Amino acid sequence: MQLKNRISIITGASSGIGRGIALEFAQEGAKIVIADRQEKPLKGKYHEKDVTTTTIQEIQNLGAEAIYIQTDISNESDVKNLMNKTVQHFGGIDILVNNAGIHIPGESQDISIQEWDKVVGVNLRGVFMTTKLAIPHIVNSEHGRIIQIASVHAFGGGAGPAYASAKAAVVNMTKDTALEVGKHGVTVNAICPGYIETAIQDYLSPEDIQSSLEKTPMGRLGIPKDIGRAAVFLASDDSEWITGTSLLVDGGACAKT
Ligand SMILES: NC(=O)c1ccc[n+]([C@@H]2O[C@H](COP(=O)([O-])OP(=O)(O)OC[C@H]3O[C@@H](n4cnc5c(N)ncnc54)[C@H](O)[C@@H]3O)[C@@H](O)[C@H]2O)c1
């Protein structure tokens, strides 16, 4: 077990990629805090149509330990509560996975300024707040890790201005935070997923999904477990000299120029 007893906060872990990461961490013996605005998993139109159990139920089936703390990561008092309750319950924080994120489709003329604020408020400001408030605890860990779930859209357009900007900023924040906490032995890295089969894709048409599949050299779309295994590596001792970097996990979709 690579993450035995490592106390891990995973934001957005009720559904999709966060849930996939939580289940892989549980298999590796981590103690998990599910920080999501809702405990019920999202059901997608194309993917994750039949998910009914909570992430905690699945973790308990694996014989691991988890708690749910209701958290909106764009709300400062929720994030403070998340850190306080985690430390009260488990006694510290070893790993923070900043996974929670939202997407509002549309180009600059479609989305409102309020929608820009909403996306950036969760996907960038929210990541900053959880990181800022977790660092005082993570620096006390022997195995401190911060893992950001960014996106292939950090490196290119096509997902709307707010989403693309926030994800690119998270990649650069990863480097800045890595410089800050390296002296405490804490690593900070980003994973940039390509198309992963989750409810976030509900806005797409079947033709869009087919086109994503055709652009993926590995011949299938991604599943949450693909990101979960990459996150286990970045959380484990095997990656202790890797920091400030971004790992594309996209089935090769970005390999073509
Ligand atoms: N699915 C993909 O193809 C893909 C690709 C690249 C990056 N990502 C990123 O991966 C992350 C997870 O996406 P997903 O596909 O699993 O999405 P999802 O919509 O399936 O799940 C997102 C989870 O985050 C929670 N959440 C949303 N806003 C929150 C908030 N303010 N506070 C706390 N929890 C909140 C939701 O309740 C949900 O449980 C996001 O950051 C997303 O941008 C996804």
Side-chain angles (χ1 to χ4, degrees):
M1 286 197 177
Q2 298 186 67
L3 305 178
K4 186 118 186 85
N5 293 330
R6 308 242 170 124
I7 300 151
S8 309
I9 295 177
I10 307 172
T11 68
S14 293
S15 323
I17 292 175
R19 180 181 172 99
I21 295 169
L23 298 184
E24 294 311 309
F25 275 36
Q27 308 253 33
E28 298 293 345
K31 294 181 174 172
I32 293 157
V33 178
I34 294 154
D36 201 300
R37 58 187 177 182
Q38 63 177 70
E39 188 167 15
K40 215 171 150 213
L42 299 175
K43 281 191 189 211
K45 187 163 91 178
Y46 303 107
H47 312 301
E48 307 210 291
K49 290 187 278 194
D50 305 317
V51 189
T52 52
T53 54
T54 64
T55 305
I56 290 209
Q57 287 169 325
E58 294 297 327
I59 289 175
Q60 283 167 351
N61 289 343
L62 294 167
E65 211 181 321
I67 57 167
Y68 168 71
I69 301 176
Q70 186 173 29
T71 313
D72 175 346
I73 61 155
S74 64
N75 179 312
E76 187 179 348
S77 63
D78 275 16
V79 176
K80 282 186 176 152
N81 178 60
L82 169 66
M83 302 309 161
N84 290 340
K85 287 234 171 89
T86 300
V87 173
Q88 269 166 23
H89 187 87
F90 283 127
I93 305 171
D94 296 301
I95 301 166
L96 170 68
V97 183
N98 277 314
N99 162 80
I102 56 169
H103 177 243
I104 298 177
E107 299 179 340
S108 74
Q109 301 310 297
D110 307 315
I111 67 161
S112 65
I113 292 169
Q114 289 73 20
E115 286 173 323
W116 162 280
D117 286 343
K118 200 170 170 198
V119 172
V120 173
V122 176
N123 294 8
L124 179 57
R125 185 172 173 274
V127 171
F128 168 66
M129 278 201 295
T130 51
T131 302
K132 176 177 171 60
L133 295 174
I135 281 176
H137 305 287
I138 293 186
V139 293
N140 296 322
S141 167
E142 304 267 293
H143 316 275
R145 298 281 187 272
I146 300 173
I147 300 169
Q148 322 283 25
I149 305 303
S151 170
V152 290
H153 291 294
F155 308 109
Y163 189 86
S165 305
K167 293 298 185 182
V170 164
V171 165
N172 220 33
M173 197 203 300
T174 299
K175 298 180 198 177
D176 190 77
T177 313
L179 297 180
E180 177 182 344
V181 297
K183 58 182 170 290
H184 300 287
V186 178
T187 71
V188 189
N189 292 292
I191 294 173
C192 296
Y195 188 115
I196 307 296
E197 294 178 334
T198 73
I200 212 171
Q201 314 290 10
D202 280 9
Y203 73 100
L204 294 173
S205 68
E207 293 72 32
D208 294 330
I209 298 175
Q210 181 60 27
S211 157
S212 293
L213 177 60
E214 282 162 15
K215 286 184 195 138
T216 306
M218 292 309 286
R220 67 166 174 86
L221 296 170
I223 55 172
K225 184 176 177 162
D226 293 317
I227 306 305
R229 292 316 302 170
V232 166
F233 169 65
L234 289 176
S236 74
D237 293 345
D238 287 344
S239 65
E240 68 179 17
W241 210 61
I242 299 174
T243 195
T245 196
S246 302
L247 179 63
L248 275 168
V249 181
D250 68 346
C254 291
K256 192 160 187 269
T257 53

